[in-house]
Amino acid sequence: MTSNENPAILIRHPQWLSRAVAMHKQQAYPDITERMQLVIALARTNIEQASGGPFAAAIFDMTSHRLIAAGVNVVVPNACSMAHAEMVAISSAQQQLQTHDLGTDQIPGMELVSSCEPCAMCVGAITWSGIRKLVCGAAAEDAANIGFDEGPRHPQWQAELQKRDISVITEICRDNAAAVLQEYTRLNGKIYNGRSSQ
C-alpha cells in the first residue's frame, strides 16, 4: 500500500432513508410507541423499496426525544454482513456527533429503538456504543421464525446490558414489528445468514 492511499469502508444508506431522517428530525417523539412506530415504518419502507432487509433502528436524544440518526438493514446491497440496522444507526449517530462514545457527558443520553431484538453481534455493539437505553419491537424468535439466525446471544443478554447501566424495554408494538417480518417472507425476501446453525 502506498502512502497516498486512503482506504475507506463505506456503508451506503438508501436515498429514501436520508430524506426520511431529514424530515423526521424536525419534530419530537415523546411517546415510546411513536418512536417505535416510526422505526417500524422505516423497516416496512426498506422492504417495499427492495433496499434491504426487514429491520430498522433509530437513535433518539433521551432528553428532547428528537431523532438523531437512523439505519436500516443493508447487508445484501452493501455486501457487508455487519450492516445490520442497529450497527448502521449507531455508526451514523457516532459520525454525526463526532464521538465513538454515545454515553459521554458532553452529549445527552442516547436511546436506540430497534424494530427487533438485537442479534449477538448487535448486542456487542450496543454494549460498547455508549447507548443508555434499548427499546425493541419484535422478539428474536419472530426473526428466527422466518429463518434469520440471531447468533449465540448470552441467555441473560438483557440483564448483561442492564449491569452496564443500559436499560432494556422489549415488545413495544411487537405485533406490528413482527408483521413486517412476515411481509418480508410473503415477498420472498432473501434470508442472508452467512451460515445456518441448523
Side-chain angles (χ1 to χ4, degrees), residues 2-53:
T2 61
S3 60
N4 61 354
E5 290 181 359
N6 186 16
I9 298 171
L10 300 176
I11 303 294
R12 299 190 187 281
H13 291 244
Q15 289 185 351
W16 66 262
L17 180 62
S18 298
R19 292 191 296 269
V21 169
M23 179 177 68
H24 289 290
K25 277 187 172 183
Q26 304 305 315
Q27 66 183 91
Y29 292 85
D31 184 79
I32 193 171
T33 301
E34 290 179 340
R35 297 194 293 278
M36 181 59 72
Q37 287 173 340
L38 171 58
V39 169
I40 292 170
L42 295 176
R44 181 172 287 110
T45 302
N46 204 36
I47 62 174
E48 289 171 350
Q49 295 291 319
S51 49

Side-chain angles (χ1 to χ4, degrees), residues 9-13 72 74 78-80 82-83 88 91:
I9 298 171
L10 300 176
I11 303 294
R12 299 190 187 281
H13 291 244
V72 291
V74 286
N78 278 278
C80 180
M82 294 178 289
V88 175
S91 299

Side-chain angles (χ1 to χ4, degrees), residues 166-185:
I166 303 168
S167 63
V168 180
I169 301 174
T170 60
E171 299 192 14
I172 300 298
C173 305
R174 178 180 177 180
D175 289 346
N176 291 341
V180 175
L181 300 175
Q182 292 299 321
E183 180 65 14
Y184 188 70
T185 297

Side-chain angles (χ1 to χ4, degrees), residues 119-148:
C119 70
M121 174 179 67
C122 293
V123 169
I126 291 164
T127 300
W128 303 121
S129 68
I131 292 293
R132 301 274 44 98
K133 182 177 180 181
L134 170 65
V135 180
C136 307
E141 67 192 66
D142 298 321
N145 285 343
I146 67 166
F148 283 104

Side-chain angles (χ1 to χ4, degrees), residues 50-78:
S51 49
F55 305 98
I59 306 289
F60 290 88
D61 180 318
M62 290 173 61
T63 302
S64 68
H65 302 298
R66 292 187 180 275
L67 177 66
I68 301 299
V72 291
N73 187 294
V74 286
V75 166
V76 173
N78 278 278

